[in-house]
Amino acid sequence: MARLKTHDEALRLRLLHRAAATVFDRGTAALSLRQLAADAKTSTTAVYSLFGSKAGLLSSLYQEAVRLFVERLATLHPTDDPAGDVIRIGLAYREYAVANPHLYAILFSDRSAQCPSDSDRPRETVETYRPLVDAVSRGQRAGQFSSASDPEVIALSVWGMAHGLVSLVLSGNEPQGLAVADCYERALRALVTGWRAGEEPVAGFANVT
Amino acid sequence: MARLKTHDEALRLRLLHRAAATVFDRGTAALSLRQLAADAKTSTTAVYSLFGSKAGLLSSLYQEAVRLFVERLATLHPTDDPAGDVIRIGLAYREYAVANPHLYAILFSDRSAQCPSDSDRPRETVETYRPLVDAVSRGQRAGQFSSASDPEVIALSVWGMAHGLVSLVLSGNEPQGLAVADCYERALRALVTGWRAGEEPVAGFANVT
DNA sequence: CAGCATATTGCAACAGCGTTACGAATGCCC
DNA sequence: GGGCATTCGTAACGCTGTTGCAATATGCTG
């Protein structure tokens, strides 16, 4: 056959680990395949036989980031206060993002630029999404949220707000003199309150077209 | 002195225009200074004498994107329904982002990676931010929003949600089977409702720690 | 046990990038 | 008209991701 494989699973994990470290402190742009291979005492060929390309490597890193993210969200167990669970998920979301800014950036950077096939995207996305939808569903059954909207819609709004506020901070676009950290939870609470069951719109802006 | 300058304002605008076009359809990564210079029948030196570097060029592009954004938001005139104005600003926000995805990406990509000096960032940010804060302030005076929170906080939550939902779509991370476009306005309305004056938190999640 | 076949691997080259150094070209002043 | 300061285009540097090719080392076969 041929010589023993050294481009094996162990090397794959070592490369993935080192790449994650680099991306974690200096971002994806600072990740050089040559440098990575040299650091791991191997050749660039290893990266290409194991990951296919830099995009493939980043895609694997994406899978890893998703796994950590899902793990983190899984530490939150449902309580008998679903609306509170929604808030807690939102806080954990922000905590993960702030703790691992570059992994978070990998998770939510442009997917079309780094994912070879889109086939695995929806599945991963829905996996991080489910706990939130579940909490909302339970909240609807408990009467804490309006049942007029699909739970997915309510969950998406929560996710959007969390993602938006976190992204503004991480990208350095939060407005001056205003710490997002201080009003993040209040904003989440206002949103949850707004989805309360039986809530009527504020008088005066029914039709804005 | 020297020979007549050809690296003048006219060339600067031409380069900026071409760069914007390229970034608009293929993103910042696809923008090559060599290609840009060749397309404009000039040399790379021109780009460097006019913009300093690729980061400088992108920074100028950022200024331009902000200007367009501010112009768009300025077309919305305050009405006697401030809460409705907030919704309208949110809708215009999304509309601009969807219409100019790459300019939007420039606006909200990592500032630290492309801005030579951070000195001009806060001023620009607050400029796009002010109409929203103003609308909230008027809404508070009209009793449409709680006065318990600073208008900046409420405005930030609206901005965060708009930015978050828009970013999820543009980055290809919206969950499958759910069109953000369909629930964007409803989400904004729920949030606005949640900030309604005198609103009490949903019973049962007062303390989540 | 010798030799072949073949999978595997590392080196080097390619095309492109942003950036910079430098020499040539140019128009003004004396 | 000659000297000069300024401006500009070319070419080079070091880097990137990627790929082709040659060397290598192993297991099977005769």
Side-chain angles (χ1 to χ4, degrees):
Chain A
M1 292 282 285
R3 57 175 155 182
L4 288 178
K5 296 192 66 162
T6 66
H7 293 180
D8 53 1
E9 190 62 21
L11 179 61
R12 191 190 129 92
L13 290 177
R14 206 165 75 234
L15 287 173
L16 210 52
H17 191 74
R18 280 177 178 274
T22 300
V23 169
F24 179 79
D25 1 284
R26 297 186 293 139
T28 62
L31 177 67
S32 157
L33 296 196
R34 301 168 112 106
Q35 192 67 44
L36 176 68
D39 287 350
K41 309 286 189 204
T42 180
S43 65
T44 63
T45 311
V47 181
Y48 280 88
S49 77
L50 287 171
F51 300 100
S53 67
K54 182 173 183 178
L57 174 60
L58 291 178
S59 184
S60 296
L61 227 47
Y62 172 83
Q63 305 289 341
E64 187 69 7
V66 167
R67 196 181 58 79
L68 285 176
F69 199 18
V70 171
E71 266 185 15
R72 174 69 186 89
L73 293 183
T75 64
L76 299 175
H77 298 103
T79 71
D80 56 355
D81 174 21
D85 291 345
V86 169
I87 303 289
R88 274 183 286 269
I89 290 174
L91 292 175
Y93 186 102
R94 177 172 179 278
E95 182 194 296
Y96 175 89
V98 171
N100 310 23
H102 288 296
L103 288 184
Y104 184 82
I106 287 183
L107 274 180
F108 291 104
S109 61
D110 196 346
R111 303 286 304 127
S112 61
Q114 75 181 230
C115 193
S117 75
D118 285 348
S119 62
D120 49 352
R121 205 238 326 149
R123 188 173 54 81
E124 304 292 348
T125 302
V126 82
E127 202 168 344
T128 68
Y129 192 45
R130 190 187 313 279
L132 185 58
V133 175
D134 287 346
V136 171
S137 287
R138 288 184 294 114
Q140 285 182 326
R141 285 194 294 272
Q144 290 179 315
F145 295 109
S146 161
S147 295
S149 296
D150 288 336
E152 286 84 5
V153 171
I154 298 179
L156 181 59
S157 74
V158 174
W159 190 11
M161 163 169 289
H163 175 61
L165 290 176
V166 163
S167 296
L168 285 178
V169 173
L170 293 187
S171 66
N173 283 100
E174 65 180 331
Q176 54 183 352
L178 203 60
V180 168
D182 293 339
C183 48
Y184 181 81
E185 185 172 346
R186 270 195 291 165
L188 281 180
R189 288 184 179 281
L191 178 59
V192 167
T193 301
W195 284 114
R196 182 155 52 179
E199 203 66 47
E200 292 297 322
V202 171
F205 64 99
N207 305 315
V208 300
T209 349
Chain B
M1 292 281 286
R3 57 174 159 181
L4 288 178
K5 295 191 67 160
T6 65
H7 293 182
D8 54 1
E9 190 63 20
L11 179 60
R12 191 189 129 93
L13 291 178
R14 206 166 75 235
L15 287 174
L16 210 52
H17 190 75
R18 280 179 177 272
T22 300
V23 169
F24 179 79
D25 17 273
R26 296 186 294 137
T28 63
L31 177 67
S32 157
L33 297 196
R34 302 168 112 108
Q35 193 67 46
L36 176 67
D39 286 350
K41 309 284 188 207
T42 179
S43 65
T44 64
T45 311
V47 180
Y48 281 88
S49 75
L50 288 171
F51 299 100
S53 67
K54 181 173 182 177
L57 173 62
L58 290 178
S59 184
S60 294
L61 227 48
Y62 172 82
Q63 305 289 341
E64 187 70 6
V66 166
R67 195 181 58 79
L68 285 176
F69 199 17
V70 171
E71 267 185 11
R72 175 69 185 86
L73 292 184
T75 64
L76 299 175
H77 298 102
T79 70
D80 57 356
D81 173 22
D85 290 345
V86 168
I87 303 288
R88 272 182 287 267
I89 290 173
L91 292 175
Y93 186 101
R94 176 172 181 279
E95 181 193 298
Y96 174 89
V98 172
N100 310 339
H102 289 296
L103 289 184
Y104 184 82
I106 287 184
L107 274 181
F108 291 104
S109 63
D110 196 347
R111 302 288 302 126
S112 61
Q114 73 179 233
C115 192
S117 75
D118 285 347
S119 62
D120 50 350
R121 199 221 353 131
R123 187 173 54 79
E124 305 291 350
T125 301
V126 80
E127 201 167 344
T128 68
Y129 193 45
R130 190 187 314 281
L132 184 58
V133 175
D134 287 346
V136 171
S137 287
R138 287 184 294 111
Q140 285 182 325
R141 285 194 294 273
Q144 289 180 315
F145 295 109
S146 161
S147 295
S149 296
D150 288 337
E152 285 86 2
V153 172
I154 298 177
L156 180 60
S157 74
V158 174
W159 191 11
M161 162 169 289
H163 174 62
L165 290 176
V166 163
S167 296
L168 284 179
V169 174
L170 293 188
S171 65
N173 284 101
E174 66 179 330
Q176 54 182 351
L178 203 61
V180 169
D182 294 338
C183 50
Y184 181 81
E185 183 172 346
R186 270 195 290 165
L188 280 180
R189 290 184 178 281
L191 178 59
V192 166
T193 302
W195 285 115
R196 180 155 55 177
E199 203 65 46
E200 294 298 322
V202 171
F205 62 100
N207 304 315
V208 299
T209 345

